[in-house]
Amino acid sequence: MTYGEWTHIVSQWDGSTLRLFKNGRLVDSVGVTNANASNGPNTIGLTSNRGYMNGALSDVRVYQRALTPQ
C-alpha cells in the first residue's frame, strides 16, 4: 500500500475458500474449510506482529454471509 492513499481491502470466505481483494482485484486466495471464529477475537487493524496499523479505517462492514464479487 502507498502512504497517504486510501486502499479498499475486502476479505471473503464462502465456507471453502478465503479470498483477499485489494481495490476490487483478487490478490490471493487459499482453501480454508475449517474456519472457526471462536478460536480467538476478531481484530481489525492489528498487524501480524501484534502491533496496530498506523492509519485510519473507514466504512468497516462485517457480513454474516458471503457477498458476490460484484
Side-chain angles (χ1 to χ4, degrees):
M1 289 183 243
T2 304
Y3 180 79
E5 289 185 15
W6 284 97
T7 304
H8 183 247
I9 301 291
V10 172
S11 65
Q12 177 218 23
W13 180 61
D14 63 7
S16 62
T17 303
L18 179 64
R19 295 174 182 85
L20 180 67
F21 295 84
K22 178 181 173 186
N23 293 329
R25 296 193 143 175
L26 179 66
V27 294
D28 202 3
S29 65
V30 63
V32 179
T33 57
N34 191 18
N36 186 345
S38 66
N39 288 341
N42 292 320
T43 58
I44 298 173
L46 190 63
T47 65
S48 59
N49 63 357
R50 309 305 287 170
Y52 289 95
M53 64 171 235
N54 183 13
L57 297 172
S58 174
D59 197 18
V60 175
R61 297 178 188 190
V62 178
Y63 294 88
Q64 190 174 353
R65 60 184 173 84
L67 302 177
T68 66
Q70 292 78 20

